[in-house]
Amino acid sequence: MIRIGPVDVSLEQRQLYLKGQPLRVGTRAFDILEVLIEAAGKLVSKDELLERVWPDTIVEESNLQVHIASLRKLLGNGRDFIKTIPGRGYLLTCPDDIEHRAAARSDGAANPDSAPLSNVPLGHTPLIGREKALDEVKSALAESPHVTLVGAGGIGKSQLGLEVARGLTPLFNDVRYINLSTVERPESTLSAIADRLACAGSTGVVTASSLIHAIGCRKMLIVLDNCEHVIQQAASICEQLVESNPNLRILATSREPLRTCLERIYWVAPLEVPAEHAGHDDILRCSAVDMFVSRAHAHAPSFLADGESTTLIGTICRRLDGLPLALELAAARVAALGISELVARLDQRFGVLTGGLRTAPPRQQTLKAALDWSHQFLCERERIVLRRISVFDGAFQLSAACEVAAYDELRADDVTEAIAGLVSKSLLMFGPNGSLMTYHLLETTRAYALQMLAESGESDLMFCKHEYFQRTRGAVTDDVDTIATPHEHTNLALQYA
Ligand SMILES: Nc1ncnc2c1ncn2[C@@H]1O[C@H](COP(=O)(O)OP(=O)(O)OP(=O)(O)O)[C@@H](O)[C@H]1O
Ligand SMILES: [Mg+2]
């Protein structure tokens, strides 16, 4: 579909639509429009139009004028989409979408009229271990107009979203990838989206309704990547867009849910890590190990996952919580440090995992930057609670968190609020254990929070409170490994809700 003002044009069906309803258009009028669309905003002379539309007949120029007038009426008389250049010819004045179509044609697509437009970048490195997630996200998008991939920094939300978009491209006329992480001010979100959709068509100020108007009823998939830092604006735009176009699907990624009424949340889980005493073959079967080994190979071609190093690789993957970004940063250190040294230095992970890709965004250049990015979005109460609960090494329940972290300016209610906030911002893992919810910090998040606790000067106090709590009330005995993966529970719950 091509959009001209309020009207959608299907070149395949030779049909115009207004708000999804077909408009009556004559054959000659459509032929004229097709020639103008092909010219993609360039002037078409009257002679050329006459020759193309009436190839075997000599007709009066007035015929052309009549059809142009009827087209103008169909496209909305309010704005002159077909401009007359006196004495020379005509041109179409809303070229954005049309230019894209023209580019697709000149790219030599096999069947340009039916080839969807897409600006989704090619995936040069394979996505590892996400087969089930790909299926689940695609099904979620078949059922809901707006799905958000939520999870910790560097867990692979963007890569998963891109791969889903590549897989779904044939089902849409237009697939647009919009990376919001480069939007500097929240107020610029709307214009950034309009810009990248290249369909606003107007030169004036962009508003939500002009964007809705420009998208019309296009069968479109928008990937709105990295929404967390403009979450309020992203939420409002998503809600308005999906409510106005039944053919639109939005796949958002964010470290925090957008919380809109049509949103369906998909929690992205870490890659699979081996159990502590897993054997050689079981270790190699895990997706986290697969990813680490393939990245380590890229940095050090002589690198081999042999008997001894396999166990160490399993340890690295487990201690880095199966987090793709952390695994990538660790793999980049293999050539310089070797596997044993890397394991030995995991306790100082923030000092070691610093060599991100030059082309990666700053928040993914180091492991610490990935956490700093999330930390900046916490309110003061959440920051205090995050560092205080770092004394828990493993799973804990809300009552335990309240007991330990409620102190001084924070009451138990504040701690409860903060725990909910930390969960929603993907800094605290959660999952039901029987009728109770259980929480735990990933090892990397805990290491980060412990540093903050030390800097706050509260370490001794909090460890004392924790010890006292364990002595008097008893520790939660469940090991994290025995609790079902929180994301699995949540996504299943959502799936069958
Ligand atoms: N399944 C995977 N297979 C291979 N590489 C992956 C996979 N998932 C993520 N990666 C790599 O890990 C890094 C982080 O992934 P990604 O950017 O998708 O994370 P994210 O969750 O979107 O992070 P952020 O919250 O910072 O936006 C990227 O360099 C990406 O190439
Ligand atoms: Mg991302």
Side-chain angles (χ1 to χ4, degrees):
M1 286 282 192
I2 290 172
R3 178 135 261 253
I4 302 175
V7 172
D8 286 301
V9 182
S10 166
L11 293 178
E12 301 90 301
Q13 297 161 13
R14 293 182 58 80
Q15 184 64 65
L16 304 189
Y17 296 94
L18 180 65
K19 294 188 178 145
Q21 297 303 314
L23 296 173
R24 284 171 68 91
V25 56
T27 314
R28 301 286 188 206
F30 196 91
D31 289 344
I32 293 168
L33 186 61
E34 198 171 11
V35 175
L36 293 174
I37 287 171
E38 230 177 78
K42 296 197 185 72
L43 177 83
V44 184
S45 71
K46 288 175 190 164
D47 287 346
E48 190 186 345
L49 273 173
L50 290 169
E51 207 175 294
R52 296 275 304 272
V53 178
W54 290 272
D56 304 313
T57 332
I58 295 171
V59 292
E60 292 287 331
E61 200 188 300
S62 58
N63 273 311
L64 186 57
Q65 286 162 354
V66 167
H67 289 299
I68 293 275
S70 80
L71 277 174
R72 282 187 173 132
K73 204 165 159 203
L74 287 170
L75 298 176
N77 275 327
R79 207 179 134 194
D80 197 2
F81 291 107
I82 302 178
K83 225 184 178 68
T84 308
I85 309 294
R88 297 179 59 202
Y90 302 91
L91 58 84
L92 213 49
T93 60
C94 58
D96 277 342
D97 202 353
I98 291 158
E99 268 170 14
H100 281 289
R101 178 56 68 120
R105 282 170 186 242
S106 62
D107 280 345
N111 181 359
D113 276 355
S114 58
L117 294 174
S118 168
N119 69 341
V120 175
L122 296 173
H124 290 294
T125 46
L127 190 74
I128 296 170
R130 293 292 193 200
E131 297 77 11
K132 187 161 167 264
L134 282 169
D135 286 347
E136 288 174 350
V137 177
K138 285 177 189 168
S139 313
L141 270 172
E143 290 163 15
S144 315
H146 168 193
V147 175
T148 305
L149 306 182
V150 182
I155 206 162
K157 303 177 291 294
S158 297
Q159 293 305 315
L160 179 60
L162 285 165
E163 193 61 23
V164 169
R166 288 183 200 109
L168 291 181
T169 297
L171 303 184
F172 293 87
N173 297 128
D174 198 349
V175 181
R176 295 279 126 196
Y177 171 74
I178 303 173
N179 182 0
L180 292 179
S181 69
T182 52
V183 175
E184 281 172 8
R185 288 174 305 120
E187 316 83 80
S188 313
T189 311
L190 186 63
S191 55
I193 293 175
D195 231 36
R196 317 245 157 100
L197 284 179
C199 68
S202 73
T203 48
V205 178
V206 181
T207 59
S209 48
S210 70
L211 192 58
I212 288 168
H213 189 65
I215 293 176
C217 56
R218 264 201 267 184
K219 194 165 168 54
M220 190 175 201
L221 171 65
I222 299 176
V223 180
L224 219 47
D225 199 14
N226 305 309
C227 294
E228 62 275 336
H229 72 303
V230 288
I231 199 149
Q232 191 62 44
Q233 290 72 14
S236 148
I237 297 165
C238 281
E239 190 158 284
Q240 295 179 67
L241 291 185
V242 293
E243 276 178 350
S244 64
N245 176 3
N247 299 321
L248 178 70
R249 290 285 185 268
I250 295 182
L251 179 58
T253 83
S254 173
R255 293 189 185 183
E256 182 181 0
L258 267 59
R259 285 203 268 132
T260 63
C261 60
L262 292 172
E263 178 185 42
R264 175 144 169 188
I265 296 161
Y266 186 89
W267 292 94
V268 179
L271 294 180
E272 188 197 357
V273 299
E276 203 157 339
H277 301 293
H280 180 269
D281 290 350
D282 286 340
I283 294 176
L284 289 181
R285 263 195 285 275
C286 289
S287 51
V289 174
D290 190 3
M291 180 181 168
F292 179 85
V293 171
S294 73
R295 291 292 199 274
H297 247 296
H299 290 282
S302 59
F303 171 79
L304 253 187
D306 56 14
E308 200 191 331
S309 61
T310 306
T311 311
L312 295 175
I313 292 171
T315 305
I316 292 172
C317 293
R318 201 168 40 251
R319 293 202 53 201
L320 293 178
D321 311 297
L323 210 68
L325 176 67
L327 296 171
E328 209 163 62
L329 294 169
R333 287 288 181 244
V334 166
L337 298 180
I339 288 287
S340 311
E341 193 59 31
L342 189 58
V343 174
R345 291 185 182 227
L346 281 181
D347 282 342
Q348 302 110 48
R349 60 188 67 196
F350 296 117
V352 179
L353 305 185
T354 54
L357 297 174
R358 265 182 239 290
T359 48
R363 70 175 189 287
Q364 294 191 343
Q365 297 273 345
T366 68
L367 193 58
K368 182 166 180 302
L371 280 146
D372 285 343
W373 178 261
S374 288
H375 191 257
Q376 68 175 313
F377 301 123
L378 302 184
C379 66
E380 192 50 28
R381 180 172 56 188
E382 289 164 344
R383 289 179 185 185
I384 296 172
V385 171
L386 176 65
R387 59 187 190 236
R388 289 183 182 171
I389 58 174
S390 68
V391 294
F392 291 99
D393 179 11
F396 59 90
Q397 288 168 355
L398 182 63
S399 54
C402 290
E403 192 84 20
V404 172
Y407 168 75
D408 204 8
E409 73 280 34
L410 289 191
R411 292 169 300 120
D413 285 353
D414 299 318
V415 176
T416 305
E417 274 285 307
I419 292 283
L422 292 170
V423 164
S424 124
K425 290 172 185 168
S426 308
L427 279 162
L428 186 57
M429 304 291 111
F430 66 104
N433 182 25
S435 60
L436 285 169
M437 195 57 89
T438 311
Y439 305 89
H440 76 273
L441 291 167
L442 293 179
E443 187 172 329
T444 296
T445 317
R446 180 169 184 245
Y448 182 86
L450 277 170
Q451 272 188 10
M452 299 272 180
L453 186 67
E455 283 161 23
S456 73
E458 283 187 337
S459 278
D460 290 347
L461 173 71
M462 286 300 140
F463 275 103
C464 274
K465 288 192 81 188
H466 178 247
E467 202 186 315
Y468 178 76
F469 169 76
Q470 284 199 308
R471 259 193 290 118
T472 54
R473 307 280 293 273
V476 177
T477 50
D478 304 297
D479 188 281
V480 177
D481 290 343
T482 65
I483 305 168
T485 314
H487 304 294
E488 270 176 21
H489 275 298
T490 318
N491 287 326
L492 275 177
L494 285 168
Q495 210 172 327
Y496 297 112

